Amino acid sequence: MNYRVPDDPSLEQIENDAWGDPPQDATKLIATVHRLRRKPISALNDADLRVLVGQNVGLDTLMPRVLERLEHDPLLEADFYPGDLLTAVLAAPSSYWTAHPDHRTRIEHIIAGIDNPDPQLKADIEGFERGIRP
């Protein structure tokens, strides 16, 4: 039997990888990630994306959507402070950026367009740049 991805799929459906319910003793974060993996991608808001990207969940699927949002507003405030979604993206593993050079180019353009980032964001950008360059 062939598996058909619905028209408005969740990460769980796209990846064809059901995690099941979170463990009984799961933290709030773990329970949230489990719940968000079942939510249709189109229904994920900026805060949801920040959580998932920050946990390195579904990067292949979510990063194009996140980069598009950041291209429109690099300092988008998803949940906590201006630029928190960007900070989550910058923390993605260097292996992700190596495997997706087109996404790396996009994020480099995004951060190049930020004038006078606050000290913490500047440190995050510098860490990102150190992590992806030999």
Side-chain angles (χ1 to χ4, degrees):
M1 178 158 99
N2 290 335
Y3 177 76
R4 182 184 168 312
V5 175
D7 292 336
D8 195 10
S10 65
L11 274 176
E12 191 172 86
Q13 293 165 320
I14 289 170
E15 295 174 351
N16 196 21
D17 182 18
W19 286 10
D21 292 330
Q24 292 278 345
D25 61 347
T27 64
K28 182 178 177 183
L29 177 60
I30 297 298
T32 298
V33 169
H34 277 254
R35 179 179 54 79
L36 293 177
R37 282 185 43 80
R38 294 179 179 161
K39 192 173 183 178
I41 299 275
S42 66
L44 294 173
N45 63 33
D46 297 331
D48 297 337
L49 293 169
R50 184 196 56 76
V51 168
L52 291 167
V53 169
Q55 295 301 305
N56 298 320
V57 173
L59 294 180
D60 290 339
T61 301
L62 299 177
M63 196 63 81
R65 176 179 297 261
V66 171
L67 291 173
E68 183 177 324
R69 291 180 186 196
L70 292 174
E71 285 166 341
H72 293 288
D73 183 3
L75 299 179
L76 182 104
E77 182 175 346
D79 219 7
F80 299 116
Y81 54 88
D84 59 354
L85 183 57
L86 177 59
T87 296
V89 167
L90 294 174
S94 60
S95 59
Y96 176 82
W97 302 110
T98 300
H100 299 86
D102 55 327
H103 293 174
R104 183 179 69 216
T105 299
R106 288 175 71 185
I107 196 65
E108 287 173 341
H109 282 101
I110 291 167
I111 60 179
I114 299 173
D115 292 325
N116 301 316
D118 69 47
Q120 183 57 55
L121 182 54
K122 184 176 181 180
D124 293 339
I125 290 169
E126 290 170 352
F128 167 79
E129 290 171 337
R130 280 191 308 274
I132 64 167
R133 294 204 166 88

